[in-house]
Amino acid sequence: MIKPVAAIALALFSLGATAAEHQIKMLNNGKEGMMSFEPSFVKAEKGDTVKFIKVDASHNSASAVLPAGAAAWKGKMDEEIIVPLTQEGVYVYVCDPHKTMGMAGVIQVGKPVNLDAAKAESDKLSKSFVMNKDRLTKALAQVK
């Protein structure tokens, strides 16, 4: 009885040990300019997490486009939030108060199964930006 329990425990531990935590900073000024997430594109695997790090005040992270079955999120202002990446596909997120300034980013989890839908929704979203209008297009161009 002990051997099967030990094998199950080892298998569960191995699953948790392979998951990665990706960190994304919420910034007033970054490598990509004003009001940005850094990095603006992250490639991850199913089971990984993303931690949105508060560097500058007055930012949040909220999902805008998700693959089927993924849970939406909306962090509070100035809150660091950890988002589990449970489904393969393309995730697009924004900072609510700076969305019109193009503060947005992209996460690819595994295969980009919803890429066409994510591009279509991102095009609509980008039309509401008053600056950084090409930020989502550049981030989505990195999806492979």
Side-chain angles (χ1 to χ4, degrees):
M1 181 67 177
I2 292 176
K3 286 183 182 180
V5 171
I8 291 170
L10 182 61
L12 291 174
F13 176 75
S14 297
L15 288 176
T18 61
E21 179 184 90
H22 305 272
Q23 296 186 349
I24 299 174
K25 298 175 185 171
M26 300 182 281
L27 302 166
N28 290 341
N29 286 292
K31 293 176 185 172
E32 294 185 23
M34 293 177 55
M35 302 304 163
S36 60
F37 290 99
E38 193 172 289
S40 63
F41 174 77
V42 167
K43 186 162 186 179
E45 295 300 323
K46 189 174 175 181
D48 289 356
T49 58
V50 171
K51 182 177 184 180
F52 289 91
I53 308 283
K54 176 192 174 231
V55 175
D56 298 314
S58 301
H59 299 293
N60 80 326
S61 171
S63 56
V65 178
L66 297 168
W73 74 87
K74 183 173 182 154
K76 295 178 184 171
M77 195 67 55
D78 295 324
E79 174 184 68
E80 292 191 353
I81 182 174
I82 296 175
V83 177
L85 304 172
T86 61
Q87 302 298 319
E88 281 196 324
V90 177
Y91 296 64
V92 177
Y93 57 90
V94 298
C95 171
D96 287 324
H98 302 112
K99 179 170 46 177
T100 59
M101 297 176 84
M103 190 166 178
V106 173
I107 303 164
Q108 177 185 346
V109 178
K111 296 177 184 174
V113 295
N114 64 326
L115 181 57
D116 290 339
K119 284 182 177 180
E121 288 302 312
S122 293
D123 284 344
K124 292 178 194 174
L125 183 60
S126 294
K127 289 178 182 173
S128 70
F129 295 172
V130 295
M131 56 190 277
N132 302 309
K133 289 182 172 278
D134 62 346
R135 186 171 279 159
L136 276 178
T137 303
K138 287 179 180 178
L140 284 165
Q142 297 178 65
V143 174
K144 303 289 180 223

